[in-house]
Each structure stands twice: as structure tokens, then as C-alpha cells.
Amino acid sequence: MLQQITSCDETQCFVVAEHFLDFFSDDPEVNKFDRVILDVSRVYDTAILVGAMAASKYIQPPVQPRVTFDVDVLLEEADFEAFLEDDIASEKSAVLDQCFETSDSPGHSLRHRKTRLYVDFLSAESRPVSGKLMRWILENREQSTNILSFGGRGISILKPEYIIAMKLHRYAKDPRSEKGLSDRLDIVKMLKTHHGYPHVIDTEKIPSLLRRREIPHFEEMMADVEQEMRAA
């Protein structure tokens, strides 16, 4: 039976499922990925968790999340520009230096000192996906995010509809690429987990978030999931 994955108040929903890759952790209370997320939230309290890590929080057994080794975070434009220009307020800079070090990979990323996992910072202007969609997400946080809560702290996490829209944008550019196939896998796993449970993923809303050329890809994935679930 599918467990309840969110608990809602009058403003937002809180993601309460915590099971992602626990076997990577030497701490039964907080896994390695969540340690990274907690430290990001200490520096950037308005950050939004996106990407494969965010998708994994909405995936439940028997479906298993895709293994990933980095954390994607959407920053406010001011925070992103300050990060690029190394013009971070001293109190934030001290925590950032304590928790993270310069990444050895290209892009807007850092490496977590304790876990050695990577954090990739995104913004509407960095254009990894639709800048228009990302700006809307940042300007409409209460509509586009839930709250991931653990360890006495919380961080905004993108709602599944918007995760799917972001991933479909990249998938549609090059469906046969490695990144495209990974995005498709994340989408399908989320849809399979919540098949028949529309209170978590509002699939009827998703087409309104997509460009015209992306909608057929989404319809194909929905049909594939429906066929697989009927055959199960």
C-alpha cells in the first residue's frame, strides 16, 4: 500500500517520506544526501531542492529511485550572482567555507567537505532548463514548492508537477542522450509510484507547464506507465 507522502497545512505541504539511499549513510538518522541538503539550507534558506534528488523524495517502494551523486539546488538570482562573484555576506561565507569546498568539476558547483558529494547551483539565468519556468517558480514559491523537513530544519522542495516539467524540457531537447534518458527514468518512476493517487501528482496540471513540443513526450510516458501498471 502506498504510504502518505505529504502532510499539508493551510499554506504548504510537508514531504514526510525519508527513505532515499539510506544504505549510503553511516548515520541511521540522517543519510549523506540529507546532510548535504541540511548544510545548503544553513547557507541559503530560500534555496529550492530540484533535480534527481528532489524526484527521489517522491518515489517510494517498490519503485526505487535512480542513483545520483549530486544535489541540484535552485537559488534566488541575488544569491546566485553573489556566489558567482564571490561576494557573499560574511556570515554566510563562513558557513559555506566550513561545509563546502571548491568543486573540481565545471559549472556552478561545490563539493561537500564531509560527504564529498557535489552541489550544483542553478538559477533562471543559468538556463539549465526553461528560464521562464524557473522565474515563475521563484516568484510563486508557495504554489510551486513543498517543504522537506528533517533534522530540525526544512528546505523548499519543488512539487512533483514542476520537477516533471523541468525534466521534460531537457528530455525533449535530446531524448536519446544520457541526461535525457535519466530524466525520463525519473519521470516514469515518479508517475509509477503515484499511479492512481492524484493527491500527490496532479498530472492534469502538467501539460499547462509544458511547451507544445514537450506535450507528446509526456503523453507517451503516461501511456507507457499506464500499460506497465495494467500488466503488473
Side-chain angles (χ1 to χ4, degrees), residues 32-226:
K32 288 186 177 182
F33 288 90
D34 288 344
R35 286 183 191 153
V36 178
I37 297 168
L38 284 168
D39 285 340
V40 169
S41 72
R42 291 173 60 200
V43 182
Y44 296 111
D45 57 3
T46 60
I48 300 175
L49 184 64
V50 299
M53 182 55 56
S56 75
K57 297 299 183 180
Y58 295 103
I59 297 171
Q60 293 187 341
V63 182
Q64 294 297 323
R66 178 175 62 85
V67 175
T68 183
F69 293 98
D70 59 11
V71 177
D72 296 318
V73 177
L74 176 60
L75 297 182
E76 299 276 1
E77 288 308 305
D79 285 332
F80 187 75
E81 291 175 6
F83 172 75
L84 293 183
E85 297 171 6
D86 196 21
D87 185 23
I88 304 172
S90 58
E91 62 273 15
K92 282 189 176 183
S93 181
V95 179
L96 196 67
D97 291 342
Q98 176 187 2
C99 299
F100 299 94
E101 63 185 13
T102 302
S103 170
D104 56 5
S105 65
H108 318 115
S109 63
L110 293 172
R111 185 162 59 184
H112 192 246
R113 292 185 184 276
K114 188 170 185 179
T115 66
R116 314 306 291 171
L117 297 173
Y118 290 89
V119 176
D120 291 330
F121 292 130
L122 309 176
S123 80
E125 297 307 316
S126 66
R127 299 189 181 279
V129 291
S130 170
K132 180 180 179 180
L133 177 60
M134 296 180 81
R135 281 189 292 272
W136 192 93
I137 288 169
L138 290 167
E139 293 168 2
N140 299 272
R141 178 180 298 268
E142 289 187 0
Q143 297 179 51
S144 61
T145 65
N146 293 317
I147 301 296
L148 178 64
S149 181
F150 49 81
R153 296 188 64 88
I155 188 172
S156 295
I157 178 174
L158 205 58
K159 286 184 177 180
E161 297 87 354
Y162 297 91
I163 296 173
I164 290 172
M166 288 178 66
K167 287 184 168 292
L168 271 163
H169 176 79
R170 188 167 67 175
Y171 172 80
K173 288 182 176 180
D174 192 356
R176 295 183 180 276
S177 68
E178 182 177 353
K179 288 184 177 180
L181 292 172
S182 295
D183 286 328
R184 188 186 194 283
L185 188 59
D186 288 337
I187 293 168
V188 168
K189 285 176 176 289
M190 293 172 71
L191 293 173
K192 285 177 63 178
T193 293
H194 301 289
H195 181 265
Y197 294 87
H199 66 280
V200 178
I201 301 180
D202 184 358
T203 54
E204 293 185 0
K205 179 183 180 62
I206 294 172
S208 69
L209 305 174
L210 303 177
R211 299 171 180 175
R212 185 178 302 175
R213 62 185 174 84
E214 296 163 2
I215 293 176
H217 293 295
F218 176 62
E219 292 174 342
E220 178 188 6
M221 293 178 197
M222 286 286 290
D224 287 347
V225 168
E226 187 67 32

